Short mmCIF file of all heavy atoms in Angstrom, two decimals:
data_model
loop_
_atom_site.label_atom_id
_atom_site.label_comp_id
_atom_site.label_asym_id
_atom_site.label_seq_id
_atom_site.Cartn_x
_atom_site.Cartn_y
_atom_site.Cartn_z
N THR A 1 49.45 -47.83 -55.68
CA THR A 1 49.81 -49.04 -54.85
C THR A 1 49.81 -48.60 -53.38
O THR A 1 50.51 -47.68 -53.04
CB THR A 1 51.14 -49.58 -55.28
OG1 THR A 1 51.07 -49.91 -56.69
CG2 THR A 1 51.49 -50.85 -54.51
N TYR A 2 49.12 -49.36 -52.53
CA TYR A 2 48.94 -49.02 -51.11
C TYR A 2 49.09 -50.27 -50.25
O TYR A 2 48.99 -51.36 -50.69
CB TYR A 2 47.56 -48.35 -50.90
CG TYR A 2 47.40 -47.09 -51.64
CD1 TYR A 2 46.74 -47.14 -52.92
CD2 TYR A 2 47.79 -45.87 -51.14
CE1 TYR A 2 46.53 -45.94 -53.60
CE2 TYR A 2 47.58 -44.67 -51.85
CZ TYR A 2 46.91 -44.75 -53.05
OH TYR A 2 46.76 -43.60 -53.76
N ARG A 3 49.19 -49.98 -48.95
CA ARG A 3 48.94 -50.92 -47.83
C ARG A 3 48.41 -50.13 -46.65
O ARG A 3 48.62 -48.92 -46.61
CB ARG A 3 50.12 -51.80 -47.56
CG ARG A 3 51.32 -51.08 -47.01
CD ARG A 3 52.55 -52.05 -46.87
NE ARG A 3 53.73 -51.32 -46.60
CZ ARG A 3 54.20 -51.04 -45.37
NH1 ARG A 3 53.51 -51.45 -44.31
NH2 ARG A 3 55.32 -50.38 -45.21
N VAL A 4 47.75 -50.82 -45.78
CA VAL A 4 47.22 -50.21 -44.59
C VAL A 4 47.88 -50.82 -43.42
O VAL A 4 48.10 -51.98 -43.33
CB VAL A 4 45.66 -50.32 -44.48
CG1 VAL A 4 45.09 -49.74 -43.15
CG2 VAL A 4 44.97 -49.73 -45.69
N ALA A 5 48.33 -49.96 -42.43
CA ALA A 5 49.10 -50.51 -41.26
C ALA A 5 48.52 -49.88 -39.99
O ALA A 5 48.11 -48.70 -39.96
CB ALA A 5 50.56 -50.16 -41.41
N PHE A 6 48.53 -50.68 -38.97
CA PHE A 6 48.20 -50.26 -37.59
C PHE A 6 49.48 -49.65 -37.02
O PHE A 6 50.57 -50.13 -37.25
CB PHE A 6 47.80 -51.45 -36.77
CG PHE A 6 47.84 -51.23 -35.30
CD1 PHE A 6 46.82 -50.49 -34.65
CD2 PHE A 6 48.79 -51.74 -34.50
CE1 PHE A 6 46.85 -50.25 -33.29
CE2 PHE A 6 48.86 -51.55 -33.16
CZ PHE A 6 47.83 -50.75 -32.52
N ASP A 7 49.33 -48.57 -36.24
CA ASP A 7 50.45 -47.92 -35.59
C ASP A 7 50.25 -47.84 -34.11
O ASP A 7 49.16 -47.48 -33.64
CB ASP A 7 50.62 -46.55 -36.13
CG ASP A 7 51.96 -45.94 -35.86
OD1 ASP A 7 52.47 -46.10 -34.77
OD2 ASP A 7 52.56 -45.28 -36.76
N ARG A 8 51.25 -48.30 -33.30
CA ARG A 8 51.18 -48.24 -31.88
C ARG A 8 51.04 -46.80 -31.35
O ARG A 8 50.48 -46.54 -30.30
CB ARG A 8 52.46 -48.84 -31.26
CG ARG A 8 52.59 -50.26 -31.62
CD ARG A 8 54.02 -50.76 -31.11
NE ARG A 8 54.03 -51.08 -29.74
CZ ARG A 8 53.61 -52.24 -29.23
NH1 ARG A 8 53.19 -53.15 -30.07
NH2 ARG A 8 53.68 -52.47 -27.99
N ALA A 9 51.58 -45.84 -32.08
CA ALA A 9 51.58 -44.47 -31.66
C ALA A 9 50.21 -43.83 -31.87
O ALA A 9 49.45 -44.18 -32.76
CB ALA A 9 52.57 -43.67 -32.50
N ASN A 10 49.81 -42.88 -30.97
CA ASN A 10 48.59 -42.16 -31.18
C ASN A 10 48.85 -41.05 -32.20
O ASN A 10 50.00 -40.77 -32.62
CB ASN A 10 48.03 -41.63 -29.91
CG ASN A 10 48.89 -40.68 -29.15
OD1 ASN A 10 49.54 -39.79 -29.83
ND2 ASN A 10 48.95 -40.69 -27.89
N LEU A 11 47.77 -40.32 -32.58
CA LEU A 11 47.98 -39.28 -33.63
C LEU A 11 49.02 -38.23 -33.28
O LEU A 11 49.79 -37.83 -34.12
CB LEU A 11 46.64 -38.66 -34.02
CG LEU A 11 45.66 -39.56 -34.76
CD1 LEU A 11 44.37 -38.81 -34.99
CD2 LEU A 11 46.21 -40.02 -36.05
N ALA A 12 49.00 -37.76 -32.03
CA ALA A 12 49.98 -36.75 -31.60
C ALA A 12 51.39 -37.30 -31.66
O ALA A 12 52.30 -36.60 -32.13
CB ALA A 12 49.64 -36.30 -30.15
N GLU A 13 51.62 -38.55 -31.30
CA GLU A 13 52.93 -39.13 -31.36
C GLU A 13 53.41 -39.36 -32.79
O GLU A 13 54.54 -39.16 -33.14
CB GLU A 13 52.96 -40.50 -30.58
CG GLU A 13 52.78 -40.31 -29.07
CD GLU A 13 52.43 -41.62 -28.36
OE1 GLU A 13 51.80 -42.50 -28.99
OE2 GLU A 13 52.82 -41.69 -27.18
N VAL A 14 52.46 -39.69 -33.70
CA VAL A 14 52.77 -39.83 -35.07
C VAL A 14 53.23 -38.46 -35.62
O VAL A 14 54.23 -38.39 -36.36
CB VAL A 14 51.55 -40.35 -35.91
CG1 VAL A 14 51.79 -40.28 -37.40
CG2 VAL A 14 51.30 -41.82 -35.53
N LYS A 15 52.48 -37.41 -35.28
CA LYS A 15 52.85 -36.07 -35.76
C LYS A 15 54.22 -35.68 -35.27
O LYS A 15 54.97 -35.07 -36.01
CB LYS A 15 51.79 -35.07 -35.29
CG LYS A 15 51.99 -33.68 -35.77
CD LYS A 15 50.95 -32.73 -35.26
CE LYS A 15 51.20 -31.33 -35.75
NZ LYS A 15 50.22 -30.36 -35.22
N ASP A 16 54.58 -36.02 -34.05
CA ASP A 16 55.87 -35.68 -33.50
C ASP A 16 56.96 -36.73 -33.88
O ASP A 16 58.08 -36.60 -33.44
CB ASP A 16 55.83 -35.68 -31.96
CG ASP A 16 55.01 -34.48 -31.46
OD1 ASP A 16 54.78 -33.57 -32.24
OD2 ASP A 16 54.49 -34.58 -30.30
N LYS A 17 56.60 -37.69 -34.74
CA LYS A 17 57.53 -38.73 -35.19
C LYS A 17 58.13 -39.50 -34.05
O LYS A 17 59.29 -39.85 -34.08
CB LYS A 17 58.56 -38.14 -36.08
CG LYS A 17 57.94 -37.54 -37.35
CD LYS A 17 59.00 -37.07 -38.35
CE LYS A 17 58.27 -36.51 -39.48
NZ LYS A 17 58.35 -36.10 -40.55
N ALA A 18 57.37 -39.71 -33.03
CA ALA A 18 57.85 -40.46 -31.81
C ALA A 18 57.83 -41.97 -32.12
O ALA A 18 56.97 -42.44 -32.80
CB ALA A 18 56.98 -40.10 -30.60
N THR A 19 58.82 -42.62 -31.59
CA THR A 19 58.83 -44.09 -31.68
C THR A 19 58.22 -44.63 -30.43
O THR A 19 58.61 -44.27 -29.29
CB THR A 19 60.31 -44.63 -31.82
OG1 THR A 19 60.86 -44.03 -32.97
CG2 THR A 19 60.29 -46.14 -31.93
N VAL A 20 57.23 -45.47 -30.53
CA VAL A 20 56.50 -46.02 -29.40
C VAL A 20 56.90 -47.52 -29.29
O VAL A 20 56.65 -48.29 -30.14
CB VAL A 20 54.97 -45.87 -29.55
CG1 VAL A 20 54.27 -46.46 -28.33
CG2 VAL A 20 54.64 -44.36 -29.69
N TYR A 21 57.45 -47.85 -28.07
CA TYR A 21 57.91 -49.25 -27.83
C TYR A 21 56.86 -50.02 -27.03
O TYR A 21 56.10 -49.35 -26.31
CB TYR A 21 59.26 -49.21 -27.14
CG TYR A 21 60.32 -48.58 -28.00
CD1 TYR A 21 60.76 -47.33 -27.76
CD2 TYR A 21 60.94 -49.33 -28.99
CE1 TYR A 21 61.80 -46.72 -28.53
CE2 TYR A 21 61.93 -48.74 -29.84
CZ TYR A 21 62.35 -47.49 -29.52
OH TYR A 21 63.31 -46.90 -30.29
N HIS A 22 56.99 -51.27 -27.05
CA HIS A 22 56.18 -52.15 -26.16
C HIS A 22 56.48 -51.79 -24.70
O HIS A 22 57.66 -51.59 -24.34
CB HIS A 22 56.50 -53.61 -26.42
CG HIS A 22 55.92 -54.56 -25.43
ND1 HIS A 22 54.56 -54.93 -25.51
CD2 HIS A 22 56.45 -55.17 -24.36
CE1 HIS A 22 54.36 -55.75 -24.53
NE2 HIS A 22 55.39 -55.92 -23.83
N GLN A 23 55.41 -51.68 -23.89
CA GLN A 23 55.66 -51.44 -22.49
C GLN A 23 55.13 -52.66 -21.76
O GLN A 23 53.98 -53.02 -21.85
CB GLN A 23 54.79 -50.23 -22.03
CG GLN A 23 55.30 -48.92 -22.70
CD GLN A 23 54.48 -47.75 -22.33
OE1 GLN A 23 53.65 -47.86 -21.47
NE2 GLN A 23 54.72 -46.66 -22.98
N ALA A 24 56.02 -53.30 -21.05
CA ALA A 24 55.69 -54.52 -20.33
C ALA A 24 54.47 -54.32 -19.43
O ALA A 24 54.33 -53.40 -18.64
CB ALA A 24 56.88 -54.94 -19.44
N GLY A 25 53.55 -55.27 -19.56
CA GLY A 25 52.35 -55.28 -18.76
C GLY A 25 51.21 -54.37 -19.26
O GLY A 25 50.13 -54.44 -18.74
N SER A 26 51.50 -53.49 -20.23
CA SER A 26 50.39 -52.63 -20.72
C SER A 26 49.98 -52.82 -22.13
O SER A 26 48.81 -52.74 -22.46
CB SER A 26 50.83 -51.17 -20.51
OG SER A 26 51.94 -50.78 -21.37
N ASP A 27 50.94 -53.14 -23.03
CA ASP A 27 50.56 -53.45 -24.42
C ASP A 27 50.35 -54.88 -24.57
O ASP A 27 51.13 -55.70 -24.16
CB ASP A 27 51.63 -53.15 -25.45
CG ASP A 27 52.29 -51.75 -25.35
OD1 ASP A 27 52.49 -51.36 -24.26
OD2 ASP A 27 52.61 -51.19 -26.40
N THR A 28 49.23 -55.19 -25.21
CA THR A 28 49.08 -56.62 -25.65
C THR A 28 48.76 -56.65 -27.08
O THR A 28 47.98 -57.46 -27.53
CB THR A 28 47.87 -57.31 -24.82
OG1 THR A 28 46.75 -56.54 -24.95
CG2 THR A 28 48.28 -57.47 -23.37
N TYR A 29 49.25 -55.69 -27.81
CA TYR A 29 49.05 -55.64 -29.23
C TYR A 29 50.37 -55.47 -29.96
O TYR A 29 51.37 -55.01 -29.39
CB TYR A 29 48.04 -54.51 -29.62
CG TYR A 29 48.38 -53.15 -29.08
CD1 TYR A 29 49.24 -52.31 -29.76
CD2 TYR A 29 47.85 -52.73 -27.90
CE1 TYR A 29 49.51 -51.03 -29.23
CE2 TYR A 29 48.07 -51.49 -27.33
CZ TYR A 29 48.95 -50.62 -28.06
OH TYR A 29 49.24 -49.38 -27.51
N GLY A 30 50.33 -55.87 -31.22
CA GLY A 30 51.63 -55.86 -32.01
C GLY A 30 51.42 -55.20 -33.30
O GLY A 30 50.41 -54.55 -33.61
N PHE A 31 52.40 -55.24 -34.16
CA PHE A 31 52.48 -54.64 -35.47
C PHE A 31 51.51 -55.37 -36.41
O PHE A 31 51.38 -56.57 -36.34
CB PHE A 31 53.92 -54.76 -35.95
CG PHE A 31 54.03 -54.24 -37.35
CD1 PHE A 31 54.17 -52.92 -37.61
CD2 PHE A 31 54.08 -55.16 -38.42
CE1 PHE A 31 54.38 -52.45 -38.90
CE2 PHE A 31 54.28 -54.71 -39.70
CZ PHE A 31 54.40 -53.33 -39.95
N TYR A 32 50.85 -54.60 -37.29
CA TYR A 32 50.04 -55.26 -38.37
C TYR A 32 50.09 -54.41 -39.58
O TYR A 32 49.92 -53.18 -39.51
CB TYR A 32 48.58 -55.41 -37.88
CG TYR A 32 47.77 -56.09 -38.89
CD1 TYR A 32 47.56 -57.52 -38.73
CD2 TYR A 32 47.21 -55.50 -39.98
CE1 TYR A 32 46.81 -58.24 -39.71
CE2 TYR A 32 46.50 -56.17 -40.92
CZ TYR A 32 46.26 -57.56 -40.80
OH TYR A 32 45.59 -58.22 -41.74
N THR A 33 50.24 -54.98 -40.71
CA THR A 33 50.10 -54.33 -41.99
C THR A 33 49.48 -55.28 -43.04
O THR A 33 49.71 -56.49 -42.95
CB THR A 33 51.41 -53.77 -42.55
OG1 THR A 33 51.20 -53.10 -43.78
CG2 THR A 33 52.41 -54.88 -42.81
N THR A 34 48.69 -54.73 -43.91
CA THR A 34 48.18 -55.52 -45.00
C THR A 34 49.22 -55.73 -46.01
O THR A 34 50.29 -55.04 -46.00
CB THR A 34 46.97 -54.83 -45.65
OG1 THR A 34 47.44 -53.62 -46.32
CG2 THR A 34 45.83 -54.50 -44.72
N THR A 35 49.09 -56.64 -46.95
CA THR A 35 49.95 -56.75 -48.04
C THR A 35 49.61 -55.63 -49.04
O THR A 35 48.54 -55.03 -48.92
CB THR A 35 49.83 -58.16 -48.75
OG1 THR A 35 48.46 -58.34 -49.11
CG2 THR A 35 50.23 -59.26 -47.85
N GLU A 36 50.50 -55.39 -49.94
CA GLU A 36 50.29 -54.28 -50.95
C GLU A 36 49.04 -54.63 -51.81
O GLU A 36 48.80 -55.86 -52.08
CB GLU A 36 51.47 -54.12 -51.85
CG GLU A 36 52.67 -53.40 -51.18
CD GLU A 36 53.76 -53.16 -52.16
OE1 GLU A 36 53.73 -53.57 -53.33
OE2 GLU A 36 54.76 -52.52 -51.71
N PHE A 37 48.31 -53.63 -52.18
CA PHE A 37 47.19 -53.82 -53.08
C PHE A 37 47.18 -52.63 -54.08
O PHE A 37 47.68 -51.59 -53.73
CB PHE A 37 45.86 -53.98 -52.37
CG PHE A 37 45.53 -52.86 -51.43
CD1 PHE A 37 44.78 -51.75 -51.86
CD2 PHE A 37 45.89 -52.98 -50.13
CE1 PHE A 37 44.41 -50.77 -50.94
CE2 PHE A 37 45.54 -51.95 -49.22
CZ PHE A 37 44.84 -50.86 -49.67
N VAL A 38 46.67 -52.84 -55.23
CA VAL A 38 46.60 -51.81 -56.29
C VAL A 38 45.16 -51.36 -56.45
O VAL A 38 44.27 -52.24 -56.55
CB VAL A 38 47.18 -52.36 -57.60
CG1 VAL A 38 47.08 -51.32 -58.70
CG2 VAL A 38 48.65 -52.81 -57.42
N ILE A 39 45.02 -50.09 -56.52
CA ILE A 39 43.69 -49.41 -56.78
C ILE A 39 43.66 -49.00 -58.20
O ILE A 39 44.64 -48.24 -58.64
CB ILE A 39 43.48 -48.28 -55.80
CG1 ILE A 39 43.32 -48.77 -54.38
CG2 ILE A 39 42.23 -47.49 -56.27
CD1 ILE A 39 43.19 -47.70 -53.37
N MET A 40 42.67 -49.41 -58.93
CA MET A 40 42.59 -49.00 -60.35
C MET A 40 41.65 -47.81 -60.50
O MET A 40 41.65 -47.20 -61.57
CB MET A 40 42.05 -50.18 -61.22
CG MET A 40 42.99 -51.40 -61.09
SD MET A 40 44.68 -51.05 -61.60
CE MET A 40 44.59 -51.33 -63.30
N GLY A 41 40.86 -47.43 -59.53
CA GLY A 41 40.05 -46.26 -59.63
C GLY A 41 38.65 -46.58 -60.07
O GLY A 41 37.72 -45.75 -59.87
N SER A 42 38.34 -47.76 -60.60
CA SER A 42 37.01 -48.03 -61.04
C SER A 42 36.24 -48.92 -60.05
O SER A 42 35.14 -49.40 -60.35
CB SER A 42 37.03 -48.74 -62.43
OG SER A 42 37.75 -49.94 -62.27
N GLU A 43 36.82 -49.14 -58.88
CA GLU A 43 36.27 -50.07 -57.90
C GLU A 43 35.16 -49.42 -57.05
O GLU A 43 34.33 -50.11 -56.56
CB GLU A 43 37.36 -50.58 -56.96
CG GLU A 43 38.45 -51.30 -57.67
CD GLU A 43 39.58 -51.66 -56.76
OE1 GLU A 43 39.37 -52.36 -55.75
OE2 GLU A 43 40.68 -51.19 -57.00
#
């Protein structure tokens, strides 16, 4: 069972477990995640 999510942090920030907040005037993107889906392996 999986879902895929967009992360505001870049790969280095994810590795450092940094929390990345909205920055006024620079971010125009938000949080996104798919709903859960199940992989059966035969797809």
Side-chain angles (χ1 to χ4, degrees):
T1 302
Y2 298 94
R3 63 186 169 92
V4 176
F6 163 77
D7 197 318
R8 300 171 81 84
N10 63 38
L11 289 177
E13 292 166 332
V14 168
K15 184 179 178 183
D16 292 340
K17 298 185 181 192
T19 302
V20 178
Y21 297 101
H22 171 78
Q23 296 177 7
S26 65
D27 310 39
T28 55
Y29 51 88
F31 174 83
Y32 185 93
T33 182
T34 64
T35 55
E36 285 184 358
F37 55 90
V38 176
I39 294 175
M40 301 304 272
S42 60
E43 299 173 61

